[in-house]
Each structure stands twice: as C-alpha cells, then as structure tokens.
Amino acid sequence: MKHRKFGKTDWKVSEVALGTWQVGGGWGGTFDHQAASKIIHSAIDQGINFIDTADVYDAGLSEAAVGKAIRERSEYIYVATKCGRQINPHVNEGYTPQVLRKYVEASLKNTGLDTIDLIQLHCPPSSVYQRDEIYRLFEDLIQEGKIQAMGVSVEKVSEAKTAMNYEIVSSIQIIFNMFRHKPAEELFVLPELKDFGVIVRVPLASGLLTGKLTTNSMFDPEDHRSFNRNGEAFDKGETFSGIDFEKGLEAVEQLKELFEGNESLASWAIRWVLMFPEVSTVIPGASKVEQVSANLKAMNLPSISAEKMAKVKAIYDQYFRSEIHPNW
C-alpha cells in the first residue's frame, strides 16, 4: 500500500481509501450488513487505513457497519464521517452548534468509537462556511477528545477556499475526476493547500467512468442516478458529476480509445486522480468485495503520459468545461 501525507496532521493515509455511500450493497434496496462487513474487512486486509462514511448513509447503517468492523480489528484505521445533512429543511439557519454537537455525539454512539478521527461538514449551504461559531464548536469537540480533526466536504471550489481561512480545518473533500477538472485549475494551484488533506470523492462519476454503463442501463428507483439527475434531491453535481448522461457516454467512448488495453477504464480514472500530488487520498465506493481489489489496481498502474493527460483535458474542454466551471 502506498501512503500520502494528510495535510497539517501527522497522518499517513492510504492513497486509495474506501468510500461507504454504497457499502451495504448498492444504492437502493435493503442494507446488507454481511456484505458491508465483508467489504470493509477486505479493504483493511488489503492495506486501506482510511474509511469515509456519513451519518446519513443508509440512515446511519453505513456508519454503524464501519464502526463495528473497526472495533473488530487491531490495525489503526482512520475513520472520517460527516454531519449536517440530516437538517431539514437543509438551510443555513438550521446549522447551529447545538444541533451539530448532537449529530457528532450520535455518530460516536452509532460507531461505538471513543473518538472520531475526522468529522466533516457535509456539503452545507455556502453561507455556513463563513460562520465562526460553527468552527468554534469543532474546536471545543477536539478539546473534549470527541474528535481528532475537522474538515469540510464541499460542492464548490469557492466553498473550499472559504473554509481554508479557518485554522481548525484540516481537510477538503471535493469531487474531482476526468469530467471535473476545476479543482486542479483553481484549488490545487494554491500554495496554502499543502496544509490541507485533500479527499477526492466521486472519482468514477457515479459509474460513468467505469465504461460499463450504456443508454440501456437501468437504475433502482432509490438510486440517485434515477432521481437526482437534475438536482431534484441534492446538488446535481453529486450525480454523474453534474453532466448530461448521454453526453458522458460519448466522452467515455473517447476515453476508452485513449486508454485501450488490458486495464479497465475505472482503474485508469482512479490513476488519473492520483497523478495529482495535491490529492491525499481518493475514496471510490464498493458494493462488492471484488470492487475493492479493482479500485486498488490503480496504484500500481504506470504514470499517465503528459500526452494522454493533455488528451483527457481536451475531452473535458470539448464536452464539459462550459457547464462545470461556472457551477462548481
């Protein structure tokens, strides 16, 4: 396993980690506790030491599965969870120190852990990132030993820049992939980013960059790829990175030609993310044990040539720049 420094902390985290949005067997349907346990244990067996979850994933079942698996292991595994998305309506006014404290304490109880390594604001309204009292709460929670560090999960580069003004913030979680280049151009270039762990989510653009989806692909009604394509339930950018599905399929065909060979497009898509040294860890999800192993293959692929990196950028420029850059 290869490790990278995690910002201002002294952590060394596996450069490919595990995201658990779909760890219970996939989006939609009943949570499979046995499958979740197998996936998490498989990830740890293969050297992953950083797991990202959230209190709203499967109504807390994902978070509980992570905590249970961690308690069954002797290795030290960094656990990152998130809070805030339970607030309904999900507006700035709903974010108070009292409410967020209750969520953090509920996550501690749910995971069964004595402390949470990293707690992250879970994509709140943009104005929340500017409120001093929110950050003071997490300073208090660190002093109390309930958390070790605090980070933010953002939708927009501008939100990341705002959060970086606060000393307590240790990490930025952001969408970054072959179809979402803006972080590399406007965030990774900042010299102060060296003090922040960068967690990359949605590296496969909700499955588009696996190269396995087609115009005939069907999704469970409870799968956000069915109900959130236009941002009906939460930020549109979380689903297929905010791009049009059919246009994404066209771009994928060009990427398949560019990366033709024995390795999957998914592996190359994760390898592409790891080409950026500013990235601390990437958190692809897994709904099957086999997907954990597939995700880890990316670490051992050779570096992508400058010529191919330029061609990926050209595909992005052709298909997506005009809609991605203004919105995220």
Side-chain angles (χ1 to χ4, degrees):
M1 177 58 69
K2 299 175 182 177
H3 296 84
R4 297 189 180 192
K5 185 176 182 297
F6 196 77
K8 68 186 73 171
T9 73
D10 60 358
W11 306 353
K12 298 290 185 182
V13 300
S14 50
E15 62 180 22
V16 176
L18 178 66
T20 62
W21 188 1
Q22 63 199 79
V23 78
W27 293 307
T30 303
F31 189 87
D32 187 330
H33 294 270
Q34 187 174 17
S37 179
K38 287 181 178 179
I39 290 167
I40 297 166
H41 278 290
S42 175
I44 299 171
D45 288 342
Q46 295 179 74
I48 286 175
N49 74 344
F50 186 94
I51 299 177
D52 179 85
T53 185
D55 58 3
V56 292
Y57 294 172
D58 280 288
L61 295 178
S62 172
E63 196 176 56
V66 170
K68 181 177 183 295
I70 298 302
R71 298 195 312 273
E72 294 169 346
R73 305 293 298 220
S74 60
E75 306 94 327
Y76 194 90
I77 309 299
Y78 295 101
V79 175
T81 191
K82 311 182 197 75
C83 63
R85 291 299 302 191
Q86 295 185 66
I87 294 170
N88 187 21
H90 192 236
V91 295
N92 173 57
E93 292 75 17
Y95 277 77
T96 67
Q98 295 80 9
V99 166
L100 292 174
R101 172 179 281 277
K102 288 181 180 178
Y103 289 151
V104 174
E105 291 174 347
S107 288
L108 280 166
K109 183 177 181 180
N110 195 26
T111 59
L113 300 175
D114 295 328
T115 186
I116 292 170
D117 296 295
L118 180 69
I119 191 78
Q120 302 160 93
L121 285 175
H122 198 174
C123 300
S126 294
S127 51
V128 173
Y129 296 102
Q130 304 171 31
R131 293 172 50 194
D132 294 355
E133 73 274 18
I134 299 297
Y135 298 96
R136 284 197 295 271
L137 163 68
F138 294 105
E139 291 174 351
D140 292 343
L141 291 170
I142 288 177
Q143 290 298 316
E144 295 166 22
K146 293 178 178 177
I147 65 173
Q148 297 300 309
M150 179 258 180
V152 294
S153 182
V154 304
E155 299 289 1
K156 303 176 181 180
V157 169
S158 59
E159 294 168 344
K161 291 179 178 178
T162 298
M164 288 167 65
N165 291 318
Y166 290 87
E167 178 65 27
I168 189 176
V169 177
S170 294
S171 65
I172 306 292
Q173 182 175 146
I174 196 164
I175 296 174
F176 179 57
N177 57 50
M178 288 176 167
F179 293 163
R180 182 76 81 91
H181 288 217
K182 189 174 180 178
E185 298 180 14
E186 298 190 13
L187 183 63
F188 295 177
V189 296
L190 301 177
E192 59 267 34
L193 191 69
K194 71 181 188 307
D195 293 327
F196 298 86
V198 174
I199 305 167
V200 169
R201 73 177 185 278
V202 198
L204 301 180
S206 306
L208 264 176
L209 287 168
T210 64
K212 296 179 179 180
L213 300 183
T214 70
T215 52
N216 296 319
S217 293
M218 301 292 291
F219 304 105
D220 189 285
E222 296 299 314
D223 188 325
H224 69 105
R225 294 174 294 184
S226 289
F227 64 76
N228 193 60
R229 293 193 186 189
N230 296 303
E232 293 91 340
F234 41 82
D235 192 280
K236 178 183 175 181
E238 297 287 347
T239 304
F240 300 127
S241 295
I243 65 173
D244 176 77
F245 181 64
E246 284 72 23
K247 190 187 291 187
L249 292 176
E250 290 181 28
V252 163
E253 290 306 309
Q254 291 196 28
L255 289 171
K256 283 182 178 179
E257 292 180 14
L258 181 60
F259 290 99
E260 63 180 352
N262 295 326
E263 299 298 338
S264 68
L265 179 59
S267 292
W268 282 116
I270 295 172
R271 183 69 184 94
W272 181 89
V273 171
L274 295 174
M275 288 294 294
F276 296 82
E278 297 83 4
V279 172
S280 305
T281 187
V282 56
I283 53 170
S287 57
K288 301 175 182 177
V289 167
E290 297 77 21
Q291 291 172 347
V292 176
S293 302
N295 292 336
L296 289 170
K297 281 186 178 181
M299 292 188 306
N300 297 316
L301 292 177
S303 295
I304 300 173
S305 68
E307 179 183 10
K308 284 189 175 181
M309 292 293 286
K311 287 182 178 178
V312 173
K313 181 177 180 298
I315 292 170
Y316 171 76
D317 289 343
Q318 175 188 350
Y319 284 94
F320 310 121
R321 175 177 291 274
S322 62
E323 54 188 300
I324 292 293
H325 261 63
N327 289 312
W328 291 284

